[in-house]
Amino acid sequence: MIYFFFNIFLALVWALANGQISLSNLGIGFLLGYAVLWFSKPLLGPTRYFRRLPVALRFVVFFFWQLVLSNLRVAYDVITPPLYMRPGIVAVPLDAKTDQEITLLANLITLTPGTLSLNLSEDRSTLYVHAMFVDSPESVRDSIKNGFERRLLELIR
C-alpha cells in the first residue's frame, strides 16, 4: 500500500512540475511514477504492488463495464412496454470466507442495478441474491461466481 501512495505522490509531483493539475497530467504522472518504482524495485525491496495494480485496474474496468451493461438492461426494461424481467432469488455458494470479502462482494452485487444481496446463511457459506433477470439460476450464479467473486478474491488475497 505504501508503494501506491508513493506512486500517487510521484504523480502529484509530475503535475506540479508541469504547472497544471489535470486528469491527463495526473494519469501521465502516475504511469511515469509506476515506471520509476518499477526500475527502482531492486532498491526498494520485495513487494506485491506490481502484481496487484494491473489486477486492480482490470477489476475496476470489469465493474464499470458490468455497471453500464446492467444500467442499460434495466433502463431498456423500464422504457419498453412489455416487461422482460423474470425476478428471482438465487442462492450463491461462496468461496469468500472473511467478513471483508463477503461484505465487499455483497456490496458490489447490490451496487449493480438489477441485483440485490438479501441475506447470508448462518454458516456464512451461501449468499442469497435477488436478481431482476433470472433466465436460469445457474447463469446468475455463474455470473456472480466467475465474475465478481473470482475477481474480487484475486484482488484481495
Side-chain angles (χ1 to χ4, degrees), residues 79-137:
I79 62 174
T80 55
L83 294 177
Y84 296 104
M85 67 176 158
R86 292 186 182 138
I89 297 174
V90 179
V92 180
L94 296 177
D95 293 329
K97 300 296 179 206
T98 67
D99 288 339
Q100 178 188 21
E101 293 170 349
I102 294 170
T103 302
L104 284 172
L105 178 63
N107 285 330
L108 288 170
I109 290 169
T110 300
L111 284 171
T112 307
T115 55
L116 176 68
S117 301
L118 294 176
N119 199 6
L120 184 64
S121 66
E122 290 293 324
D123 62 353
R124 300 167 39 122
S125 65
T126 305
L127 181 67
Y128 295 97
V129 176
H130 177 274
M132 266 180 79
F133 304 98
V134 180
D135 297 326
S136 75

Short mmCIF file of all heavy atoms in Angstrom, two decimals, residues 79-137:
data_model
loop_
_atom_site.label_atom_id
_atom_site.label_comp_id
_atom_site.label_asym_id
_atom_site.label_seq_id
_atom_site.Cartn_x
_atom_site.Cartn_y
_atom_site.Cartn_z
N ILE A 79 -38.31 1.27 -20.10
CA ILE A 79 -38.90 2.12 -21.14
C ILE A 79 -39.67 1.36 -22.21
O ILE A 79 -40.40 1.97 -22.98
CB ILE A 79 -37.85 3.02 -21.81
CG1 ILE A 79 -36.79 2.20 -22.53
CG2 ILE A 79 -37.23 3.96 -20.81
CD1 ILE A 79 -35.80 3.01 -23.33
N THR A 80 -39.54 0.06 -22.25
CA THR A 80 -40.29 -0.71 -23.25
C THR A 80 -41.59 -1.22 -22.64
O THR A 80 -41.63 -1.58 -21.46
CB THR A 80 -39.47 -1.90 -23.77
OG1 THR A 80 -39.06 -2.70 -22.67
CG2 THR A 80 -38.27 -1.43 -24.55
N PRO A 81 -42.66 -1.27 -23.42
CA PRO A 81 -43.96 -1.70 -22.87
C PRO A 81 -43.98 -3.13 -22.32
O PRO A 81 -44.42 -3.32 -21.20
CB PRO A 81 -44.92 -1.55 -24.05
CG PRO A 81 -44.27 -0.58 -24.95
CD PRO A 81 -42.80 -0.74 -24.78
N PRO A 82 -43.51 -4.15 -23.04
CA PRO A 82 -43.54 -5.47 -22.39
C PRO A 82 -42.39 -5.60 -21.40
O PRO A 82 -41.28 -5.15 -21.66
CB PRO A 82 -43.36 -6.44 -23.56
CG PRO A 82 -42.64 -5.67 -24.59
CD PRO A 82 -43.08 -4.24 -24.43
N LEU A 83 -42.68 -6.16 -20.26
CA LEU A 83 -41.64 -6.36 -19.25
C LEU A 83 -40.88 -7.66 -19.54
O LEU A 83 -41.49 -8.71 -19.72
CB LEU A 83 -42.24 -6.41 -17.85
CG LEU A 83 -42.88 -5.12 -17.36
CD1 LEU A 83 -43.51 -5.33 -15.99
CD2 LEU A 83 -41.85 -4.01 -17.30
N TYR A 84 -39.58 -7.56 -19.61
CA TYR A 84 -38.74 -8.72 -19.89
C TYR A 84 -38.17 -9.34 -18.63
O TYR A 84 -37.53 -10.37 -18.68
CB TYR A 84 -37.59 -8.33 -20.83
CG TYR A 84 -38.08 -7.89 -22.19
CD1 TYR A 84 -38.08 -6.55 -22.53
CD2 TYR A 84 -38.54 -8.82 -23.10
CE1 TYR A 84 -38.53 -6.14 -23.78
CE2 TYR A 84 -39.00 -8.41 -24.35
CZ TYR A 84 -38.99 -7.08 -24.68
OH TYR A 84 -39.44 -6.68 -25.90
N MET A 85 -38.37 -8.68 -17.51
CA MET A 85 -37.75 -9.19 -16.29
C MET A 85 -38.44 -10.46 -15.80
O MET A 85 -39.64 -10.65 -15.98
CB MET A 85 -37.76 -8.12 -15.22
CG MET A 85 -39.09 -7.73 -14.67
SD MET A 85 -38.83 -6.57 -13.35
CE MET A 85 -40.40 -5.78 -13.34
N ARG A 86 -37.61 -11.29 -15.23
CA ARG A 86 -38.06 -12.52 -14.56
C ARG A 86 -37.37 -12.54 -13.21
O ARG A 86 -36.31 -13.15 -13.06
CB ARG A 86 -37.68 -13.74 -15.37
CG ARG A 86 -38.39 -13.87 -16.67
CD ARG A 86 -38.04 -15.18 -17.31
NE ARG A 86 -38.71 -15.28 -18.59
CZ ARG A 86 -38.15 -15.75 -19.67
NH1 ARG A 86 -36.93 -16.20 -19.64
NH2 ARG A 86 -38.83 -15.80 -20.79
N PRO A 87 -37.93 -11.85 -12.22
CA PRO A 87 -37.24 -11.76 -10.93
C PRO A 87 -37.19 -13.10 -10.21
O PRO A 87 -38.06 -13.96 -10.39
CB PRO A 87 -38.08 -10.74 -10.15
CG PRO A 87 -39.41 -10.75 -10.80
CD PRO A 87 -39.20 -11.14 -12.22
N GLY A 88 -36.15 -13.24 -9.42
CA GLY A 88 -36.00 -14.46 -8.64
C GLY A 88 -34.91 -14.32 -7.61
O GLY A 88 -34.09 -13.39 -7.65
N ILE A 89 -34.90 -15.22 -6.68
CA ILE A 89 -33.87 -15.26 -5.63
C ILE A 89 -33.00 -16.48 -5.89
O ILE A 89 -33.50 -17.60 -6.07
CB ILE A 89 -34.51 -15.32 -4.24
CG1 ILE A 89 -35.32 -14.04 -4.01
CG2 ILE A 89 -33.44 -15.49 -3.17
CD1 ILE A 89 -36.10 -14.02 -2.74
N VAL A 90 -31.69 -16.24 -5.91
CA VAL A 90 -30.73 -17.28 -6.23
C VAL A 90 -29.77 -17.45 -5.06
O VAL A 90 -29.27 -16.47 -4.51
CB VAL A 90 -29.94 -16.91 -7.50
CG1 VAL A 90 -28.91 -17.98 -7.83
CG2 VAL A 90 -30.88 -16.68 -8.67
N ALA A 91 -29.53 -18.69 -4.68
CA ALA A 91 -28.55 -19.00 -3.64
C ALA A 91 -27.18 -19.17 -4.30
O ALA A 91 -27.01 -19.99 -5.20
CB ALA A 91 -28.93 -20.27 -2.89
N VAL A 92 -26.21 -18.37 -3.85
CA VAL A 92 -24.87 -18.40 -4.43
C VAL A 92 -23.90 -18.94 -3.38
O VAL A 92 -23.68 -18.30 -2.35
CB VAL A 92 -24.43 -16.98 -4.87
CG1 VAL A 92 -23.04 -17.02 -5.46
CG2 VAL A 92 -25.43 -16.38 -5.84
N PRO A 93 -23.31 -20.12 -3.61
CA PRO A 93 -22.31 -20.63 -2.67
C PRO A 93 -21.06 -19.77 -2.74
O PRO A 93 -20.63 -19.36 -3.82
CB PRO A 93 -22.04 -22.06 -3.14
CG PRO A 93 -22.48 -22.08 -4.56
CD PRO A 93 -23.53 -21.03 -4.72
N LEU A 94 -20.48 -19.49 -1.59
CA LEU A 94 -19.37 -18.55 -1.52
C LEU A 94 -18.03 -19.23 -1.33
O LEU A 94 -17.91 -20.19 -0.56
CB LEU A 94 -19.58 -17.56 -0.36
CG LEU A 94 -20.77 -16.63 -0.46
CD1 LEU A 94 -20.87 -15.78 0.80
CD2 LEU A 94 -20.66 -15.76 -1.69
N ASP A 95 -17.03 -18.71 -2.02
CA ASP A 95 -15.64 -19.05 -1.75
C ASP A 95 -15.04 -18.02 -0.81
O ASP A 95 -14.00 -18.26 -0.21
CB ASP A 95 -14.83 -19.10 -3.05
CG ASP A 95 -15.26 -20.24 -3.94
OD1 ASP A 95 -15.70 -21.28 -3.41
OD2 ASP A 95 -15.17 -20.10 -5.17
N ALA A 96 -15.67 -16.85 -0.71
CA ALA A 96 -15.22 -15.79 0.19
C ALA A 96 -15.46 -16.26 1.63
O ALA A 96 -16.54 -16.75 1.96
CB ALA A 96 -15.97 -14.50 -0.09
N LYS A 97 -14.48 -16.06 2.49
CA LYS A 97 -14.57 -16.57 3.86
C LYS A 97 -14.58 -15.46 4.92
O LYS A 97 -15.28 -15.57 5.91
CB LYS A 97 -13.41 -17.54 4.15
CG LYS A 97 -13.38 -18.73 3.24
CD LYS A 97 -14.61 -19.59 3.41
CE LYS A 97 -14.55 -20.78 2.46
NZ LYS A 97 -15.86 -21.28 2.13
N THR A 98 -13.80 -14.42 4.72
CA THR A 98 -13.68 -13.40 5.76
C THR A 98 -14.84 -12.41 5.67
O THR A 98 -15.52 -12.31 4.64
CB THR A 98 -12.36 -12.63 5.64
OG1 THR A 98 -12.36 -11.87 4.43
CG2 THR A 98 -11.16 -13.57 5.67
N ASP A 99 -15.04 -11.66 6.75
CA ASP A 99 -16.09 -10.63 6.76
C ASP A 99 -15.84 -9.60 5.68
O ASP A 99 -16.79 -9.14 5.03
CB ASP A 99 -16.14 -9.94 8.13
CG ASP A 99 -16.71 -10.83 9.21
OD1 ASP A 99 -17.40 -11.80 8.88
OD2 ASP A 99 -16.46 -10.54 10.40
N GLN A 100 -14.59 -9.21 5.49
CA GLN A 100 -14.26 -8.20 4.49
C GLN A 100 -14.61 -8.69 3.08
O GLN A 100 -15.22 -7.96 2.30
CB GLN A 100 -12.77 -7.86 4.56
CG GLN A 100 -12.33 -6.86 3.53
CD GLN A 100 -10.81 -6.68 3.50
OE1 GLN A 100 -10.08 -7.54 3.95
NE2 GLN A 100 -10.37 -5.57 2.97
N GLU A 101 -14.25 -9.91 2.76
CA GLU A 101 -14.54 -10.46 1.43
C GLU A 101 -16.03 -10.56 1.18
O GLU A 101 -16.53 -10.17 0.12
CB GLU A 101 -13.89 -11.84 1.29
CG GLU A 101 -12.38 -11.82 1.29
CD GLU A 101 -11.78 -13.20 1.39
OE1 GLU A 101 -12.49 -14.17 1.68
OE2 GLU A 101 -10.55 -13.30 1.20
N ILE A 102 -16.77 -11.07 2.16
CA ILE A 102 -18.21 -11.24 2.00
C ILE A 102 -18.91 -9.89 1.89
O ILE A 102 -19.79 -9.70 1.05
CB ILE A 102 -18.79 -12.08 3.16
CG1 ILE A 102 -18.24 -13.51 3.09
CG2 ILE A 102 -20.31 -12.09 3.13
CD1 ILE A 102 -18.54 -14.35 4.30
N THR A 103 -18.50 -8.94 2.72
CA THR A 103 -19.12 -7.61 2.70
C THR A 103 -18.86 -6.90 1.38
O THR A 103 -19.77 -6.31 0.79
CB THR A 103 -18.60 -6.75 3.87
OG1 THR A 103 -18.88 -7.43 5.09
CG2 THR A 103 -19.24 -5.39 3.88
N LEU A 104 -17.62 -6.95 0.90
CA LEU A 104 -17.32 -6.31 -0.38
C LEU A 104 -18.09 -6.96 -1.53
O LEU A 104 -18.62 -6.25 -2.40
CB LEU A 104 -15.81 -6.36 -0.65
CG LEU A 104 -14.96 -5.38 0.13
CD1 LEU A 104 -13.48 -5.67 -0.08
CD2 LEU A 104 -15.29 -3.97 -0.28
N LEU A 105 -18.17 -8.27 -1.53
CA LEU A 105 -18.91 -8.96 -2.59
C LEU A 105 -20.39 -8.59 -2.54
O LEU A 105 -20.99 -8.27 -3.58
CB LEU A 105 -18.74 -10.48 -2.46
CG LEU A 105 -19.51 -11.32 -3.47
CD1 LEU A 105 -19.04 -11.03 -4.88
CD2 LEU A 105 -19.39 -12.79 -3.14
N ALA A 106 -20.98 -8.60 -1.36
CA ALA A 106 -22.40 -8.26 -1.23
C ALA A 106 -22.65 -6.81 -1.66
O ALA A 106 -23.64 -6.53 -2.33
CB ALA A 106 -22.85 -8.47 0.22
N ASN A 107 -21.75 -5.91 -1.33
CA ASN A 107 -21.92 -4.51 -1.74
C ASN A 107 -21.76 -4.34 -3.24
O ASN A 107 -22.48 -3.55 -3.85
CB ASN A 107 -20.93 -3.61 -0.99
CG ASN A 107 -21.36 -3.38 0.44
OD1 ASN A 107 -22.54 -3.38 0.75
ND2 ASN A 107 -20.39 -3.19 1.31
N LEU A 108 -20.81 -5.03 -3.85
CA LEU A 108 -20.65 -4.94 -5.31
C LEU A 108 -21.87 -5.46 -6.03
O LEU A 108 -22.31 -4.89 -7.03
CB LEU A 108 -19.40 -5.71 -5.75
CG LEU A 108 -18.07 -5.07 -5.40
CD1 LEU A 108 -16.93 -6.05 -5.66
CD2 LEU A 108 -17.86 -3.80 -6.17
N ILE A 109 -22.45 -6.54 -5.51
CA ILE A 109 -23.67 -7.09 -6.12
C ILE A 109 -24.81 -6.10 -5.98
O ILE A 109 -25.56 -5.84 -6.92
CB ILE A 109 -24.02 -8.45 -5.47
CG1 ILE A 109 -22.99 -9.50 -5.88
CG2 ILE A 109 -25.43 -8.89 -5.84
CD1 ILE A 109 -23.08 -10.79 -5.11
N THR A 110 -24.94 -5.49 -4.80
CA THR A 110 -26.03 -4.55 -4.56
C THR A 110 -25.85 -3.26 -5.35
O THR A 110 -26.83 -2.65 -5.78
CB THR A 110 -26.13 -4.25 -3.06
OG1 THR A 110 -26.39 -5.48 -2.38
CG2 THR A 110 -27.24 -3.28 -2.75
N LEU A 111 -24.63 -2.83 -5.57
CA LEU A 111 -24.37 -1.62 -6.35
C LEU A 111 -24.73 -1.77 -7.82
O LEU A 111 -24.96 -0.78 -8.51
CB LEU A 111 -22.90 -1.20 -6.22
CG LEU A 111 -22.50 -0.54 -4.92
CD1 LEU A 111 -20.99 -0.38 -4.86
CD2 LEU A 111 -23.19 0.80 -4.77
N THR A 112 -24.76 -2.99 -8.29
CA THR A 112 -25.08 -3.24 -9.69
C THR A 112 -26.60 -3.25 -9.86
O THR A 112 -27.28 -4.04 -9.21
CB THR A 112 -24.49 -4.59 -10.13
OG1 THR A 112 -23.11 -4.61 -9.81
CG2 THR A 112 -24.67 -4.81 -11.61
N PRO A 113 -27.16 -2.39 -10.70
CA PRO A 113 -28.62 -2.35 -10.88
C PRO A 113 -29.17 -3.70 -11.35
O PRO A 113 -28.58 -4.37 -12.17
CB PRO A 113 -28.81 -1.29 -11.97
CG PRO A 113 -27.60 -0.43 -11.87
CD PRO A 113 -26.49 -1.34 -11.47
N GLY A 114 -30.30 -4.06 -10.77
CA GLY A 114 -30.94 -5.31 -11.14
C GLY A 114 -30.62 -6.46 -10.21
O GLY A 114 -31.21 -7.53 -10.32
N THR A 115 -29.68 -6.26 -9.29
CA THR A 115 -29.34 -7.31 -8.33
C THR A 115 -29.29 -6.70 -6.93
O THR A 115 -28.98 -5.52 -6.76
CB THR A 115 -27.98 -7.96 -8.63
OG1 THR A 115 -26.97 -6.95 -8.71
CG2 THR A 115 -28.01 -8.74 -9.92
N LEU A 116 -29.58 -7.53 -5.94
CA LEU A 116 -29.60 -7.08 -4.56
C LEU A 116 -29.22 -8.24 -3.66
O LEU A 116 -29.82 -9.32 -3.74
CB LEU A 116 -31.00 -6.56 -4.19
CG LEU A 116 -31.23 -6.14 -2.76
CD1 LEU A 116 -30.44 -4.87 -2.46
CD2 LEU A 116 -32.71 -5.90 -2.51
N SER A 117 -28.23 -8.03 -2.81
CA SER A 117 -27.87 -9.05 -1.82
C SER A 117 -28.90 -9.03 -0.71
O SER A 117 -29.16 -7.98 -0.13
CB SER A 117 -26.48 -8.76 -1.24
OG SER A 117 -25.53 -8.74 -2.25
N LEU A 118 -29.49 -10.18 -0.44
CA LEU A 118 -30.57 -10.24 0.55
C LEU A 118 -30.12 -10.73 1.91
O LEU A 118 -30.40 -10.10 2.93
CB LEU A 118 -31.69 -11.14 0.05
CG LEU A 118 -32.45 -10.68 -1.18
CD1 LEU A 118 -33.46 -11.72 -1.60
CD2 LEU A 118 -33.13 -9.36 -0.90
N ASN A 119 -29.46 -11.87 1.93
CA ASN A 119 -29.16 -12.50 3.21
C ASN A 119 -27.95 -13.41 3.07
O ASN A 119 -27.60 -13.84 1.98
CB ASN A 119 -30.37 -13.32 3.68
CG ASN A 119 -30.33 -13.62 5.16
OD1 ASN A 119 -29.47 -13.14 5.88
ND2 ASN A 119 -31.28 -14.43 5.61
N LEU A 120 -27.34 -13.68 4.20
CA LEU A 120 -26.21 -14.60 4.28
C LEU A 120 -26.64 -15.75 5.17
O LEU A 120 -27.26 -15.53 6.23
CB LEU A 120 -24.99 -13.87 4.86
CG LEU A 120 -23.70 -14.63 4.94
CD1 LEU A 120 -23.19 -14.99 3.54
CD2 LEU A 120 -22.65 -13.80 5.66
N SER A 121 -26.34 -16.97 4.77
CA SER A 121 -26.73 -18.13 5.57
C SER A 121 -26.00 -18.11 6.91
O SER A 121 -24.98 -17.43 7.08
CB SER A 121 -26.43 -19.43 4.82
OG SER A 121 -25.04 -19.58 4.65
N GLU A 122 -26.53 -18.85 7.86
CA GLU A 122 -25.96 -18.89 9.20
C GLU A 122 -24.50 -19.38 9.20
O GLU A 122 -23.67 -18.88 9.96
CB GLU A 122 -26.80 -19.79 10.11
CG GLU A 122 -28.14 -19.23 10.46
CD GLU A 122 -28.05 -17.99 11.34
OE1 GLU A 122 -27.15 -17.93 12.19
OE2 GLU A 122 -28.89 -17.10 11.16
N ASP A 123 -24.20 -20.34 8.34
CA ASP A 123 -22.84 -20.86 8.28
C ASP A 123 -21.92 -20.03 7.37
O ASP A 123 -20.77 -20.38 7.16
CB ASP A 123 -22.83 -22.32 7.85
CG ASP A 123 -23.40 -22.52 6.46
OD1 ASP A 123 -23.92 -21.54 5.87
OD2 ASP A 123 -23.33 -23.65 5.96
N ARG A 124 -22.44 -18.92 6.84
CA ARG A 124 -21.69 -17.96 6.02
C ARG A 124 -21.13 -18.59 4.74
O ARG A 124 -20.13 -18.15 4.23
CB ARG A 124 -20.58 -17.32 6.83
CG ARG A 124 -21.07 -16.58 8.03
CD ARG A 124 -19.95 -16.22 8.96
NE ARG A 124 -18.77 -15.82 8.26
CZ ARG A 124 -18.16 -14.66 8.39
NH1 ARG A 124 -18.63 -13.79 9.22
NH2 ARG A 124 -17.08 -14.37 7.71
N SER A 125 -21.80 -19.60 4.23
CA SER A 125 -21.32 -20.25 3.02
C SER A 125 -22.19 -19.96 1.80
O SER A 125 -21.80 -20.31 0.69
CB SER A 125 -21.24 -21.76 3.24
OG SER A 125 -22.55 -22.27 3.43
N THR A 126 -23.34 -19.32 2.02
CA THR A 126 -24.27 -19.05 0.92
C THR A 126 -24.81 -17.63 1.04
O THR A 126 -25.24 -17.22 2.10
CB THR A 126 -25.45 -20.05 0.94
OG1 THR A 126 -24.92 -21.37 0.92
CG2 THR A 126 -26.35 -19.85 -0.26
N LEU A 127 -24.78 -16.93 -0.08
CA LEU A 127 -25.35 -15.58 -0.16
C LEU A 127 -26.61 -15.66 -1.02
O LEU A 127 -26.59 -16.22 -2.12
CB LEU A 127 -24.33 -14.62 -0.79
CG LEU A 127 -24.75 -13.16 -0.92
CD1 LEU A 127 -24.89 -12.52 0.46
CD2 LEU A 127 -23.72 -12.39 -1.73
N TYR A 128 -27.68 -15.10 -0.52
CA TYR A 128 -28.93 -15.09 -1.26
C TYR A 128 -29.06 -13.76 -1.98
O TYR A 128 -28.95 -12.70 -1.37
CB TYR A 128 -30.12 -15.32 -0.33
CG TYR A 128 -30.07 -16.70 0.29
CD1 TYR A 128 -29.53 -16.89 1.55
CD2 TYR A 128 -30.52 -17.81 -0.42
CE1 TYR A 128 -29.46 -18.16 2.11
CE2 TYR A 128 -30.45 -19.08 0.13
CZ TYR A 128 -29.92 -19.24 1.39
OH TYR A 128 -29.84 -20.49 1.93
N VAL A 129 -29.26 -13.83 -3.29
CA VAL A 129 -29.27 -12.65 -4.16
C VAL A 129 -30.59 -12.58 -4.91
O VAL A 129 -31.03 -13.58 -5.49
CB VAL A 129 -28.09 -12.71 -5.16
CG1 VAL A 129 -28.13 -11.54 -6.12
CG2 VAL A 129 -26.77 -12.76 -4.42
N HIS A 130 -31.21 -11.41 -4.90
CA HIS A 130 -32.39 -11.17 -5.73
C HIS A 130 -31.91 -10.58 -7.04
O HIS A 130 -31.14 -9.62 -7.05
CB HIS A 130 -33.36 -10.20 -5.04
CG HIS A 130 -34.56 -9.89 -5.87
ND1 HIS A 130 -34.55 -8.87 -6.81
CD2 HIS A 130 -35.78 -10.45 -5.93
CE1 HIS A 130 -35.73 -8.83 -7.40
NE2 HIS A 130 -36.49 -9.77 -6.88
N ALA A 131 -32.36 -11.13 -8.14
CA ALA A 131 -31.98 -10.63 -9.46
C ALA A 131 -33.25 -10.34 -10.26
O ALA A 131 -34.24 -11.07 -10.15
CB ALA A 131 -31.12 -11.65 -10.19
N MET A 132 -33.20 -9.28 -11.05
CA MET A 132 -34.35 -8.91 -11.88
C MET A 132 -34.51 -9.84 -13.08
O MET A 132 -35.62 -10.08 -13.53
CB MET A 132 -34.18 -7.48 -12.41
CG MET A 132 -34.83 -6.43 -11.58
SD MET A 132 -34.58 -4.79 -12.26
CE MET A 132 -35.78 -4.75 -13.56
N PHE A 133 -33.40 -10.31 -13.61
CA PHE A 133 -33.43 -11.10 -14.83
C PHE A 133 -32.83 -12.48 -14.56
O PHE A 133 -31.62 -12.68 -14.66
CB PHE A 133 -32.65 -10.40 -15.94
CG PHE A 133 -33.14 -9.00 -16.21
CD1 PHE A 133 -32.50 -7.91 -15.66
CD2 PHE A 133 -34.26 -8.79 -17.00
CE1 PHE A 133 -32.95 -6.62 -15.91
CE2 PHE A 133 -34.72 -7.51 -17.25
CZ PHE A 133 -34.06 -6.42 -16.70
N VAL A 134 -33.68 -13.42 -14.19
CA VAL A 134 -33.23 -14.78 -13.90
C VAL A 134 -33.77 -15.69 -14.99
O VAL A 134 -34.87 -16.20 -14.91
CB VAL A 134 -33.72 -15.25 -12.51
CG1 VAL A 134 -33.22 -16.67 -12.23
CG2 VAL A 134 -33.26 -14.31 -11.42
N ASP A 135 -32.98 -15.83 -16.06
CA ASP A 135 -33.36 -16.78 -17.11
C ASP A 135 -33.14 -18.20 -16.61
O ASP A 135 -33.95 -19.08 -16.85
CB ASP A 135 -32.55 -16.51 -18.37
CG ASP A 135 -32.84 -15.14 -18.95
OD1 ASP A 135 -33.99 -14.68 -18.85
OD2 ASP A 135 -31.90 -14.51 -19.49
N SER A 136 -32.02 -18.40 -15.93
CA SER A 136 -31.77 -19.66 -15.23
C SER A 136 -30.94 -19.33 -13.99
O SER A 136 -30.04 -18.48 -14.06
CB SER A 136 -31.04 -20.66 -16.13
OG SER A 136 -29.69 -20.31 -16.25
N PRO A 137 -31.24 -19.97 -12.88
CA PRO A 137 -30.46 -19.69 -11.66
C PRO A 137 -28.97 -19.97 -11.84
O PRO A 137 -28.14 -19.28 -11.28
CB PRO A 137 -31.08 -20.63 -10.62
CG PRO A 137 -32.44 -20.93 -11.12
CD PRO A 137 -32.35 -20.87 -12.61
#
